[in-house]
């Protein structure tokens, strides 16, 4: 394992210091408990707060700022933040309009956010993001994971909150965006959690993990690497089935790098996915390509599709000024 | 080698199609010869044109748009574009105010841009970017390489051109920015050129290449991996010596990921570099952190420092609306 670290156990904290210093015009850091908040909070709106394990950057801290999140709580790498982080963040940024917690569907995140909410003396609601179609939500398992679609929820609901939408309506909008958003990923390599020091999973030199999670969780199947066009088709089929888009629909097409895949390859994936949409009679009227929800240095990518309407397009286009997402 | 490709020889072209489709509101693609240009050219200004081998994305195509480049010419991976690309791009975007070519200092780029300039019937000037302090410019070698400092030149001179600066003044400004900018990188891993299919260089599991170039060129020395603070000090010493910053100076601090290094580690590097600046009495009043000048999937990073004055700060802050750089 080769990484830029001093002590691996200090990486998240030291990186947070660097992040806050590099973006001191937009964000402020609270060191204990650790959270990032907007430097200039808008006190008349619903406060949007997210958080999760570190290692997915820029998610979530990179999206703190005007038009997206009011605060974000980074946990240790691939580990949920603690309830006192969420509670302190809420107290720092909440207004009378209340707090919306944006939670990715992982057992640790769900439990810790719930504990924070149980202690809240401020009006709140929460939204569980579970856009990953590689996991079946039937049965008694933990259900679908929250992956790159979280960025779409944070952007669209962030814009609505900035425009004055109330808490109940923000919650309904977030559920609606989550419902019309589907994602699936594929990995060529594992990542290595710095404090673990060994790869999260083994994978052969010609293999790929189809449906991988953003912590290296197993996906749908282990397969041989194939041409990009075939990989994209394997991801797009369940995505399009899930969002139930019909010919003529307008969509957001989002190709997300998992951390170690060159932008050149991500744009090739975009090209293939856009061609697939075209064959289905769907039009990608909005686009996002880049490393937005990563898994440390994992080589791989995911594709996210959100079915749009006029309201969602307008909110997607609305002003956002954050470290990692600017309109 | 695992990559998202169909035929490796088609990657650059297919990625360009994806790039142009994803950013169709900002750029237009010319397929033959291949170049990307601003969708809405400003016909009253000096046209800025850059280009170089692909594999460094978002450099250069990601910086085409308002306030930066008017056109960019992508070559094959790590291979200079051809003179007819530059010439066609110039003809497509030039106004009576002339063309400034921004060229990174590599033998192939210099030769091909020179051949294009020899055929120009439009007024032009050119600037050679050579910010890499890991290479000694003395003697008869090719001299210092152009690396991530190119982004700084394109941003600052792009803003000046947008504001109406004339060709001779843009050329002087570009030379000035290049002179007050220094960079140095370090790599943990090689990258693999898709059409080659094998790693560009070998490196041991505990080794790093200090002073690596953005095509995997050898640097100053091969060393054992050390704590991030020590790596940053080894990069910062020659950078600060080169720019000859003195206590009280304001600087731009730019940490650039080479493609495969997580943002978390890049922010740790920023933190360490900012602390070093502080010890020298220098203040990082502007910052940039992310994958801006990459070397495919190489794990590594570079640090760039530009000494600022009021004019350069104002131009750095000026409006830019491009796929990869928005103010």
């Amino acid at each position: 394992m080769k990484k830029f670290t001093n002590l691996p156990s200090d990486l998240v904290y030291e990186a947070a210091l660097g992040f806050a210093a590099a973006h001191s015009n937009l964000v402020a850091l609270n060191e204990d408990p650790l959270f990032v908040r907007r430097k200039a909070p808008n006190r008349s709106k619903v406060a949007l707060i997210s958080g999760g394990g570190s290692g997915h950057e820029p998610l979530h801290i990179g999206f703190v700022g005007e038009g997206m999140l009011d605060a974000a709580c980074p946990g240790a790498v691939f580990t949920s933040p603690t309830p006192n982080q969420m509670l302190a963040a809420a107290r720092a940024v909440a207004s009378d309009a209340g707090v919306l917690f944006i939670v990715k569907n992982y057992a640790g995140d769900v439990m810790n956010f719930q504990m924070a909410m149980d202690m809240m003396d401020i009006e709140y609601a929460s939204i569980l993001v579970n856009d990953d179609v590689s996991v079946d939500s039937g049965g008694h398992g933990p259900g679908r994971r929250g992956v790159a679609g979280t960025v779409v929820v944070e952007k669209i609901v962030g814009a609505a909150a900035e425009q004055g939408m109330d808490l109940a309506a923000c919650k309904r909008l977030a559920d609606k965006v989550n419902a019309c958003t589907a994602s699936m990923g594929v990995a060529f390599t594992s990542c290595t959690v710095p404090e673990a020091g060994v790869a999260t999973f083994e994978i052969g030199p010609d293999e790929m993990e189809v449906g991988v999670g953003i912590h290296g969780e197993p996906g749908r199947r282990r397969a041989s690497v194939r041409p990009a066009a075939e990989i994209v088709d394997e991801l797009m089929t369940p995505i399009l089935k899930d969002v139930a888009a019909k010919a003529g629909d307008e969509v957001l097409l989002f190709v997300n790098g998992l951390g170690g895949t060159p932008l050149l390859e991500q744009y090739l994936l975009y090209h293939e996915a856009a061609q697939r949409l075209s064959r289905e009679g769907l039009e990608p009227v909005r686009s996002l390509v880049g490393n937005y929800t990563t898994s440390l240095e994992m080589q791989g990518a995911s594709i996210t599709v959100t079915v749009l309407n006029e309201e969602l397009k307008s909110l997607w286009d609305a002003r956002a000024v954050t470290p990692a997402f600017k309109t």
Side-chain angles (χ1 to χ4, degrees), chain A residues 34 73 75-76 110 115 123 191 221 243 257:
Chain A
L34 191 67
C73 307
V110 170
M115 287 173 67
E123 194 186 8
C191 56
R221 69 186 189 107
V243 296

Side-chain angles (χ1 to χ4, degrees), chain A residues 297-317:
Chain A
E297 71 281 2
M298 185 182 287
Q299 290 181 11
S302 63
I303 298 176
T304 297
V305 171
T306 299
V307 179
L308 297 173
N309 59 23
E310 291 307 314
E311 178 194 22
L312 299 187
K313 273 196 288 186
S314 163
L315 291 167
W316 179 260
D317 293 340

Side-chain angles (χ1 to χ4, degrees), chain A residues 103-107 128-137 142-150 178 181-186 209-221:
Chain A
V103 186
K104 300 194 300 302
N105 190 30
Y106 298 97
L128 205 60
V129 183
N130 64 350
D131 54 310
D132 187 351
V133 297
S134 67
V135 182
D136 189 352
S137 262
R144 290 161 47 142
R145 305 175 290 227
V147 291
T150 314
N178 182 56
T181 296
S183 303
M184 190 159 152
V186 58
E209 182 67 38
V210 180
V212 70
I214 58 172
H215 310 91
E217 299 95 331
R220 290 191 165 196
R221 69 186 189 107

Side-chain angles (χ1 to χ4, degrees), chain A residues 99-186:
Chain A
V99 172
L100 180 67
F101 290 105
I102 300 175
V103 186
K104 300 194 300 302
N105 190 30
Y106 298 97
D109 287 334
V110 170
M111 183 182 74
N112 283 289
F113 270 93
Q114 187 56 55
M115 287 173 67
M117 289 187 271
D118 289 346
M119 292 184 277
M120 284 279 284
D121 49 11
I122 303 164
E123 194 186 8
Y124 70 86
S126 70
I127 151 75
L128 205 60
V129 183
N130 64 350
D131 54 310
D132 187 351
V133 297
S134 67
V135 182
D136 189 352
S137 262
H140 300 288
R144 290 161 47 142
R145 305 175 290 227
V147 291
T150 314
V151 179
V152 182
V153 172
E154 293 180 357
K155 172 65 186 80
I156 289 178
V157 183
E162 200 78 43
Q163 292 171 11
M165 186 178 276
D166 71 25
L167 181 60
C170 282
K171 154 76 174 158
R172 281 194 303 274
L173 175 65
D175 282 326
K176 179 173 140 187
V177 174
N178 182 56
C180 68
T181 296
S183 303
M184 190 159 152
V186 58

Side-chain angles (χ1 to χ4, degrees), chain A residues 70-305:
Chain A
D70 293 86
C73 307
V77 172
F78 292 177
T79 303
S80 172
T82 57
N84 68 325
Q85 289 176 262
M86 281 74 102
L87 204 59
R91 288 182 174 143
V93 302
S95 73
D96 291 343
V99 172
L100 180 67
F101 290 105
I102 300 175
V103 186
K104 300 194 300 302
N105 190 30
Y106 298 97
D109 287 334
V110 170
M111 183 182 74
N112 283 289
F113 270 93
Q114 187 56 55
M115 287 173 67
M117 289 187 271
D118 289 346
M119 292 184 277
M120 284 279 284
D121 49 11
I122 303 164
E123 194 186 8
Y124 70 86
S126 70
I127 151 75
L128 205 60
V129 183
N130 64 350
D131 54 310
D132 187 351
V133 297
S134 67
V135 182
D136 189 352
S137 262
H140 300 288
R144 290 161 47 142
R145 305 175 290 227
V147 291
T150 314
V151 179
V152 182
V153 172
E154 293 180 357
K155 172 65 186 80
I156 289 178
V157 183
E162 200 78 43
Q163 292 171 11
M165 186 178 276
D166 71 25
L167 181 60
C170 282
K171 154 76 174 158
R172 281 194 303 274
L173 175 65
D175 282 326
K176 179 173 140 187
V177 174
N178 182 56
C180 68
T181 296
S183 303
M184 190 159 152
V186 58
F188 288 159
T189 66
S190 177
C191 56
T192 299
V193 175
E195 288 194 75
V198 295
T200 301
F201 62 90
E202 294 297 319
I203 186 163
D206 296 311
E207 287 182 327
M208 60 181 180
E209 182 67 38
V210 180
V212 70
I214 58 172
H215 310 91
E217 299 95 331
R220 290 191 165 196
R221 69 186 189 107
R222 186 65 64 95
S224 295
V225 173
R226 287 172 302 145
E230 294 177 31
I231 297 173
V232 168
D233 268 332
E234 183 164 356
L235 301 181
M236 289 294 279
T237 297
I239 289 170
L240 293 177
K241 182 179 174 198
D242 186 77
V243 296
K246 52 190 186 309
D249 279 351
E250 295 185 326
V251 304
L252 164 69
L253 176 57
F254 171 18
V255 172
N256 174 62
L258 289 175
T261 284
L263 204 46
L264 200 60
E265 295 174 40
Q266 294 178 41
Y267 279 114
L268 168 62
L269 296 177
Y270 182 92
H271 171 63
E272 295 296 343
Q275 287 191 299
R276 170 67 184 267
L277 290 177
S278 175
R279 289 196 297 274
E280 308 272 350
L282 302 168
E283 193 183 353
V285 294
R286 297 292 183 276
S287 304
L288 190 64
V289 182
N291 295 345
Y292 288 93
T293 301
T294 60
S295 185
L296 295 168
E297 71 281 2
M298 185 182 287
Q299 290 181 11
S302 63
I303 298 176
T304 297
V305 171

